[in-house]
Amino acid sequence: MSIKYCYWEMSWPEIKERVKDEPVCIIPVGVLEDHGPHLPLDTDVLIVNEICKQAVENNIADSILLPPVVHGYSPHHMDFPGTISIRWNVLVEYLLDINRSLIKHGFKRILLVNGHGSNSSLVNMVSRLTIVEHPEVLCADFFYLTTPESLKLIEELRESDYPGGIAHACELETSLYLAIKPELVDMSRAVKDISYPESQNFFFDWVDGSARMMEWWSTLSKTGIMGDPTKATVEKGKRWLKAAVGEISSLIKELKSREIRKRVDHHL
Ligand SMILES: [Zn+2]
């Protein structure tokens, strides 16, 4: 009998049984927001969900897939029609409640895979708080295609300018969407948009990038795009998708085999 790996397709007795293996719970986290005139609002959800799905399919014995968290944090995109933004504190508590529920049922290993930049600090706070609240579990967070190997592959394949070509609804995201659901990408509407960087980078980048600032998206981009989606191809998307799936597979193995160590109270 093949093992089920989609959490929502299982019955409660199946969950009760499956939890004994301590599988790594994989939770994709995205957002619905503008991704230029050529990509659907669900870009960050579709991509991260597909990466997680393929990674779990490759590691069925060691992991279990949760449904994607579709709504995320994106208030600075609200000038563009379609964006849905959840308040930061609500999102943090919402994600924590998902983790708390899984932990209640006995799951001990959780990986939040984020597909939307502005969720990053919040998703990281959730993984930290989960362990603070529940020292008996492990919870990690990760943004896909950020390992040194993946960054190298991105540089190897990219044809757009650096910096500027890869940021948002760009060569990278458009290629990934093309590799997953090409019928929803309207390449005739894809344009290179580096609207306001003539003298400055898109993102506030002071000295070595160690200072951060996120301005309203409409002050940075005219189309919602930041980058050059005209350079996107299915082939590049497939290579990048495979690399991202590999990253999650490695993380599943790492989390599955990691010892959960006991706290030591040095007051005693
Ligand atoms: Zn995106």
Side-chain angles (χ1 to χ4, degrees):
M1 196 185 77
S2 65
I3 306 177
K4 285 187 183 173
Y5 64 90
C6 294
Y7 186 91
W8 62 96
E9 291 181 353
M10 297 165 75
S11 65
W12 72 259
E14 286 172 328
I15 291 285
K16 189 179 173 184
E17 199 50 36
R18 188 77 174 91
V19 83
K20 293 175 188 163
D21 304 333
E22 286 192 26
V24 182
C25 296
I26 306 295
I27 309 177
V29 188
V31 76
L32 296 186
E33 74 176 9
D34 58 286
H35 275 78
H38 67 297
L39 284 174
L41 298 173
D42 80 342
T43 297
D44 290 348
V45 179
L46 180 100
I47 292 172
V48 77
N49 190 51
E50 182 65 24
I51 292 167
C52 291
K53 181 173 153 280
Q54 290 194 23
V56 172
E57 280 170 351
N58 294 344
N59 296 274
I60 287 179
D62 291 338
S63 59
I64 189 164
L65 181 68
L66 274 288
V69 175
V70 170
H71 299 303
Y73 175 77
S74 195
H76 55 302
H77 275 259
M78 291 304 278
D79 289 335
F80 288 91
T83 302
I84 292 181
S85 183
I86 304 299
R87 282 164 293 157
W88 69 270
N89 50 332
V90 175
L91 181 65
V92 166
E93 284 297 334
Y94 183 89
L95 292 169
L96 273 172
D97 277 351
I98 295 172
N99 285 356
R100 289 171 183 137
S101 304
L102 292 170
I103 293 164
K104 164 73 184 158
H105 304 316
F107 291 101
K108 289 185 169 352
R109 297 165 196 274
I110 301 170
L111 175 62
L112 296 154
V113 184
N114 182 24
H116 167 57
S118 295
N119 285 343
S120 292
S121 54
L122 304 177
V123 170
N124 178 244
M125 185 52 75
V126 169
S127 68
R128 285 166 169 264
L129 285 173
T130 299
I131 294 179
V132 170
E133 270 185 30
H134 299 277
E136 74 285 7
V137 309
L138 296 177
C139 181
D141 63 282
F142 180 69
F143 198 104
Y144 70 84
L145 292 180
T146 54
T147 59
E149 300 75 37
S150 295
L151 294 174
K152 212 172 128 225
L153 183 69
I154 290 173
E155 288 316 308
E156 244 175 73
L157 301 183
R158 76 179 292 161
E159 294 168 275
S160 59
D161 301 333
Y162 178 85
I166 292 183
H168 176 81
C170 53
E171 180 185 7
L172 182 91
E173 282 192 317
T174 306
S175 295
L176 285 166
Y177 210 114
L178 280 172
I180 300 166
K181 225 182 218 184
E183 66 275 19
L184 290 190
V185 183
D186 185 354
M187 284 304 282
S188 70
R189 304 194 73 187
V191 289
K192 178 179 180 180
D193 187 350
I194 43 171
S195 305
Y196 304 106
E198 280 85 19
S199 58
Q200 287 185 314
N201 217 338
F202 276 131
F203 295 112
F204 179 69
D205 189 10
W206 183 72
V207 190
D208 59 355
S210 58
R212 295 190 202 178
M213 177 166 73
M214 180 49 74
E215 294 155 283
W216 283 86
W217 209 250
S218 57
T219 68
L220 301 167
S221 167
K222 289 174 182 145
T223 60
I225 295 167
M226 277 191 190
D228 188 0
T230 66
K231 296 281 194 299
T233 65
V234 179
E235 291 69 31
K236 281 185 275 189
K238 283 184 179 164
R239 294 276 304 276
W240 284 328
L241 183 64
K242 193 169 172 230
V245 171
E247 291 177 324
I248 306 303
S249 288
S250 303
L251 273 167
I252 289 171
K253 290 186 178 82
E254 185 78 23
L255 266 176
K256 180 73 176 77
S257 60
R258 191 171 176 88
E259 184 192 350
I260 304 177
R261 290 186 279 273
K262 287 238 179 307
R263 283 174 71 192
V264 179
D265 186 349
H266 288 286
H267 296 89
L268 304 172

